[in-house]
Amino acid sequence: MNSSCPTGSCPSGPCPADEALSALADAALPSEAGTGLIAHCAGCPRCTRRLAELRALRDAFAALPAIRLEVDLAAQLVDRLQAGATPAARKRRQSPWWVRWADRLRPPTPWRFGLSPFAGSVAAVGLGLWLGGLLMELEAPRSPPAANTTLAAMSVFGAVPPGNLCPRAGACGASGSTR
Amino acid sequence: MIGERPSSGADAGADTGEARELARARAGDVAAFGALVRRHQERVFRFLHRMLDAREEAMELSQDVFVKAWQALPGWRPEAAFSTWLLQIARNAALDQLRRRQVVRFAPLEEGLEVADEAPGPEARYASRQRQAQLERALRRLAAEHREILLLREVEGLAYGELASVLGIAEGTVKSRLARARSALLEHFDPHTGASHE
């Protein structure tokens, strides 16, 4: 029921809902309903007042000061979008599946390859190998080959007990004799 | 249906040029999209400015709206008017922004809001400015749901069908929500005098 018509009826009959008056102010009612409502308002001071308020509201909006952007967003956006290289992705998305597959099979250009995740993995493994090699080279001079030292150390746990004869030459160290 | 506002036919009027630009933009032509931005940037900005009541924020968000539109352009279908579609993106962006803010801004009650008399000349101009300021304050007091539908209808001139499309509701709901929004605004603002009902 119309809030401006609390009794629910006026001299010209039951008052319409606010929704109908709002639509009437917008001229958004079918012509028959609109005519009926206007006839009601002619005899109903409350609905007339409400309709006048709704129409005045529209005028108040129309009188609001203009808000101007004062900047050309388009110029800024075009640069931003061009830098984003979005169109390539869009073209790929729009093209048929065989074109997309052909695109994938095509040898990558150095630039595209350089940005791919595969190139990143290859670079990481390569870097690891190179650093490992570098470390090996640095380690090498610090531990020169010492075959005798190693063998002597190992002989503590050898198969031939100390004092025994060696079964064959060279089996018990460089001398080939018992320790 | 009666009640189509003249400005709602703007899309139809500029159809040929805009349709060409849209076709080119959808094919990835950034310059054509730039032309579309120029057509609609004022409207999108104005709506966001009034929704957020913050110029810089509205400007940044306008850019985001167009970037989103560019990204979603392949999914756009000509059945939806481009301007309506843009306003739909702008509306969602504004609501997100308001949610992020989580702040309800209440208009200050100072600044000489007494109603000016109807004398012509500078006094009348002053009264008119007061009335505008009062309406803007009253708008800020409304729920976002009411503010957006009023701005889209009264300022942007969208027809009921377009409102339904932008807001994602039925036309019947547009009618009732619009009536509730107007009623809420009239609680804070007297359109005849410009006085606030505080």
Side-chain angles (χ1 to χ4, degrees):
Chain A
M1 198 54 64
N2 187 354
S3 60
S4 64
C5 197
T7 56
S9 69
C10 295
S12 56
C15 287
D18 222 17
E19 193 180 312
L21 287 174
S22 167
L24 181 67
D26 282 333
L29 283 179
S31 55
E32 204 172 293
T35 311
L37 216 52
I38 289 167
H40 169 86
C41 288
C44 176
R46 287 180 181 179
C47 288
T48 302
R49 196 163 52 243
R50 187 64 170 178
L51 189 61
E53 270 181 344
L54 292 169
R55 284 180 173 152
L57 204 53
R58 177 191 274 190
D59 294 342
F61 271 106
L64 278 176
I67 290 178
R68 298 258 173 253
L69 182 57
E70 289 164 3
V71 177
D72 186 16
L73 280 186
Q76 296 173 12
L77 272 166
V78 165
D79 291 345
R80 191 170 152 189
L81 295 176
Q82 267 166 349
T86 319
R90 293 156 61 82
K91 273 181 191 163
R92 208 177 307 129
R93 217 169 35 238
Q94 285 176 342
S95 52
W97 65 270
W98 63 85
V99 176
R100 290 202 299 272
W101 272 104
D103 192 37
R104 276 182 203 174
L105 294 173
R106 212 171 28 191
T109 60
W111 179 239
R112 275 176 64 195
F113 178 78
L115 290 174
S116 67
F118 177 70
S121 329
V122 169
V125 171
L127 190 68
L129 287 173
W130 179 69
L131 284 172
L134 213 62
L135 281 170
M136 295 277 280
E137 278 174 26
L138 288 172
E139 284 290 320
R142 263 189 255 155
S143 53
N148 289 345
T149 314
T150 313
L151 212 58
M154 291 294 287
S155 63
V156 175
F157 306 105
V160 183
N164 274 22
L165 285 172
C166 287
R168 56 186 164 77
C172 302
S175 61
S177 60
T178 56
R179 280 161 285 179
Chain B
M1 170 73 75
I2 313 170
E4 299 292 312
R5 303 281 290 264
S7 52
S8 69
D11 287 322
D15 261 356
T16 47
E18 183 165 294
R20 268 199 303 273
E21 285 157 8
L22 270 166
R24 279 168 48 211
R26 291 185 78 197
D29 185 339
V30 179
F33 186 72
L36 286 170
V37 172
R38 261 181 212 107
R39 276 182 197 273
H40 298 281
Q41 58 185 6
E42 288 287 347
R43 192 182 210 191
V44 166
F45 172 73
R46 184 172 57 226
F47 173 68
L48 289 173
H49 190 308
R50 291 224 188 271
M51 277 299 284
L52 302 172
D53 191 32
R55 187 177 177 83
E56 290 303 314
E57 215 174 347
M59 206 176 296
E60 277 173 30
L61 213 55
S62 300
Q63 287 212 27
D64 291 349
V65 165
F66 284 112
V67 170
K68 274 183 195 159
W70 167 251
Q71 285 162 351
L73 203 51
W76 174 79
R77 293 286 168 269
E79 297 85 60
F82 184 66
S83 63
T84 311
W85 183 67
L86 273 180
L87 280 174
Q88 199 172 4
I89 299 174
R91 179 251 178 177
N92 290 337
L95 291 182
D96 283 348
Q97 189 71 6
L98 289 172
R99 261 182 236 122
R100 270 196 293 272
R101 273 193 203 162
Q102 293 279 317
V103 171
V104 180
R105 289 189 183 181
F106 288 106
L109 298 175
E110 74 294 324
E111 302 169 39
L113 298 179
E114 71 278 4
V115 183
D117 61 26
E118 307 237 336
E123 290 85 1
R125 283 203 300 276
Y126 174 75
S128 168
R129 275 203 301 273
Q130 288 297 317
R131 195 161 154 248
Q132 292 164 1
Q134 197 55 256
L135 174 57
E136 283 174 340
R137 285 194 188 91
L139 269 173
R140 277 178 229 142
R141 288 176 163 267
L142 293 188
E145 181 186 87
H146 289 159
R147 192 159 70 235
E148 66 178 7
I149 198 168
L150 283 171
L151 291 174
L152 290 170
R153 173 66 194 168
E154 305 288 9
V155 180
E156 302 309 327
L158 263 58
Y160 280 25
E162 290 170 320
L163 286 171
S165 169
V166 170
L167 303 175
I169 53 180
E171 265 195 59
T173 314
V174 166
K175 223 181 253 187
S176 56
R177 191 178 292 180
L178 204 46
R180 280 200 305 276
R182 283 172 171 151
S183 186
L185 186 61
L186 285 169
E187 282 174 23
H188 298 291
F189 175 72
D190 181 341
H192 296 301
T193 63
S196 65
H197 301 158
E198 308 300 346

